[in-house]
Amino acid sequence: MIPLPLSTIAEITGGIRHGPPDPVADGPVTDDPVVDDPVVEDPVVTGPVVIDSRAVEPGALFAALKGERVDGHAFAAGALAAGAAGVLAQHPVDGPCVVVDDVQEALGRLARAVLERLPDVTVVAVTGSAGKTSTKDLIGQVLSGAGPTVHPPGSFNNEIGLPLTVLRADAATRHLVLEMGARGIGHIAYLTGIARPDVGVVLNVGTAHVGEFGGRENIALAKGEMVEAVPPGGTAVLNADDPLVSAMASRTQGEVVTFGRSPGAAVRAADETLDEQGRARFTLVTPEGAAPVALRLHGSHAVPNALAAAAAARAAGLATGAIAEALSAAVPVSRWRMEVTERADGVTVVNDAYNANPDSTRAAIDVLVHLARGRRAYAVLGEMAELGDSSMAEHARIGQHVARSGIAGFVVVGANAAAMAEGAGQVASWTGECVQVDDVGAAVTVLRERLAPRDVVLVKGSRVAGLERVAEAILAEDGR
């Protein structure tokens, strides 16, 4: 973050400065009336803005958020003791602080003001129903070769995470790569009000969170708020393969650049193949030329993400050859997203347990089938959350997809995923085994009883399922 005195942060956030400032003596302090009083300076935030007191560094600003279970104000003293320059709080604490009505809203105002002080930063923002984090990670790695780039791992894509990401930028930053999520109409508009994108990327409109939105058309309305925020002179990067996304071209003032597998896409893939590990090889084709790409990410569904990253990097000024080279060097950054690990006995575990929706789950199953050619394959699947009235039908369809894939075994975890087992049972041609269990521990037991050297296991579910623990437990066995 750029250095800012607490008094300036108070002005920006509409807060009130409380607490003692840091005294800095200009020479020795004595009782001699001839000696001037000590010069008192306003504490200056020079470090990061954090919401976890354990992450405090000297000069940091600690934002004391109130959660359902934890109140950050209880950790303010510890944050100051660890070197924080001050606290952003909703009531005075014992030490230098800025008191605001709402800490979360204040973070947004502070992030917007900091970004306004960094006119040379190019903001690249990504949204979509699936693939946001992976695409953000690719864009960040590609742009890093062209200058200092802020692109944190993980999904910092909401009203708290996005401001914290913006506040990592400083005077040296040239590219700021942001992920924007939404749980309803207006959410992305709020986030773009904090950080207006110079390059806005929309990946797809799928069924993730359809229960909260009430239909894919409403999802499209929400995701399109991204391109509505792109200013004249900016670039809207749209998926040519998704009709609901390509239709967003009429909603932006910026230049429209399309990506995808469609022959008419401005940035597209040609001669696409998969190697034995399920990693894509293709020729990146842009209006300026073509170059080969060999991805290190697993699955053909990584190709659209890579094309979106290429289109965004091109809009930021990178050449086709440099983009292709950077894409080929890019590695997985965020945890539990198609992490492929092999045990000592040859058992391969695909940990894709960060989240799940019908589209991403089908794609993960297809990767499992490709990786397991000539080997036994097992899928451990949990609930796909926030699907609303379509939940049972979507879970049943996934079960059918698993059964048609011909894998050896299928473990369904949790009552909310039970329809997957029912769907698998509807495919008469499937000869594999389907086991339904209540929890993670039972799933691990089932796998321990069945896994043999060289088997391949996919683990996937929404965050509420916590299935990363299945992958971790199986890997910890290490074949013993």
Side-chain angles (χ1 to χ4, degrees):
M1 177 171 153
I2 60 175
L4 288 176
L6 280 187
S7 57
T8 301
I9 292 174
E11 293 174 8
I12 289 170
T13 60
I16 300 174
R17 172 79 167 80
H18 281 269
D22 289 336
V24 179
D26 184 12
V29 179
T30 72
D31 294 328
D32 188 341
V34 177
V35 179
D36 292 336
D37 290 336
V39 176
V40 176
E41 294 185 356
D42 194 11
V44 177
V45 174
T46 57
V49 180
V50 299
I51 60 174
D52 186 337
S53 61
R54 295 167 296 184
V56 166
E57 301 173 11
L61 176 67
F62 175 63
L65 287 168
K66 270 189 173 182
E68 293 181 1
R69 291 174 293 180
V70 177
D71 185 349
H73 294 78
F75 301 92
L80 291 167
V87 177
L88 191 62
Q90 285 183 229
H91 59 72
V93 299
D94 189 13
C97 63
V98 173
V99 176
V100 295
D101 292 335
D102 187 305
V103 173
Q104 178 181 299
E105 290 182 4
L107 280 175
R109 290 194 292 270
L110 180 59
R112 181 169 56 246
V114 166
L115 195 53
E116 288 171 353
R117 288 163 165 79
L118 300 172
D120 295 331
V121 172
T122 297
V123 178
V124 182
V126 183
T127 194
S129 294
K132 294 186 294 294
T133 302
S134 297
T135 304
K136 177 263 298 175
D137 291 342
L138 285 172
I139 295 171
Q141 291 179 78
V142 172
L143 291 180
S144 291
T149 300
V150 171
H151 62 111
S155 299
F156 287 80
N157 62 15
N158 61 14
E159 298 86 347
I160 298 171
L162 183 131
L164 292 176
T165 302
V166 173
L167 290 167
R168 291 183 54 181
D170 58 26
T173 304
R174 290 296 166 263
H175 308 108
L176 176 61
V177 185
L178 303 172
E179 177 182 341
M180 296 188 179
R183 301 175 306 283
I185 293 172
H187 289 183
I188 291 176
Y190 173 81
L191 297 176
T192 58
I194 295 172
R196 190 176 190 182
D198 300 297
V199 181
V201 182
V202 183
L203 298 173
N204 42 55
V205 174
T207 52
H209 312 297
V210 70
E212 293 185 334
F213 283 95
R216 292 184 71 224
E217 292 74 15
N218 287 338
I219 296 175
L221 283 175
K223 301 300 183 184
E225 293 167 4
M226 171 73 79
V227 299
E228 289 176 350
V230 173
T235 304
V237 176
L238 302 178
N239 186 350
D241 301 333
D242 187 324
L244 288 175
V245 175
S246 58
M248 295 176 189
S250 62
R251 297 172 61 181
T252 184
Q253 301 177 73
E255 177 190 1
V256 174
V257 173
T258 58
F259 69 91
R261 293 183 167 106
S262 301
V267 177
R268 59 187 177 86
D271 308 320
E272 187 179 335
T273 62
L274 291 177
D275 68 9
E276 68 282 354
Q277 292 293 315
R279 297 170 299 195
R281 306 288 187 265
F282 62 91
T283 300
L284 173 64
V285 180
T286 75
E288 292 75 36
V293 174
L295 292 179
R296 300 188 183 189
L297 281 63
H298 298 268
S300 61
H301 62 292
V303 174
N305 297 342
L307 294 174
R314 174 180 174 268
L318 274 68
T320 300
I323 294 170
E325 184 177 346
L327 284 174
S328 298
V331 297
V333 174
S334 300
R335 298 185 65 191
W336 308 333
R337 293 167 174 86
M338 294 306 295
E339 290 182 0
V340 179
T341 309
E342 187 171 311
R343 290 194 330 193
D345 62 350
V347 168
T348 299
V349 178
V350 183
N351 185 350
D352 197 30
Y354 183 79
N355 216 336
N357 60 61
D359 297 328
S360 66
T361 302
R362 275 188 286 271
I365 294 164
D366 294 344
V367 173
L368 170 66
V369 172
H370 185 89
L371 286 173
R373 288 174 300 174
R375 304 157 68 184
R376 290 196 311 170
Y378 291 87
V380 182
L381 303 181
E383 173 187 359
M384 300 179 296
E386 300 174 352
L387 294 178
D389 294 340
S390 65
S391 181
M392 286 190 65
E394 291 289 358
H395 282 84
R397 291 188 189 103
I398 290 298
Q400 293 165 4
H401 188 76
V402 170
R404 294 190 184 105
S405 73
I407 65 174
F410 180 25
V411 182
V412 178
V413 185
N416 292 335
M420 288 184 182
E422 297 172 10
Q426 294 166 1
V427 180
S429 61
W430 189 43
T431 59
E433 178 189 22
C434 182
V435 181
Q436 187 173 347
V437 299
D438 293 332
D439 53 36
V440 166
V444 172
T445 298
V446 168
L447 288 175
R448 283 175 177 159
E449 294 171 349
R450 288 161 176 77
L451 284 182
R454 301 193 69 252
D455 288 348
V456 185
V457 182
L458 166 69
V459 181
K460 188 168 181 65
S462 286
R463 289 300 320 122
V464 293
L467 294 193
E468 70 280 355
R469 292 175 289 162
V470 175
E472 291 165 353
I474 296 304
L475 286 171
E477 297 278 324
D478 203 23
R480 291 173 291 180

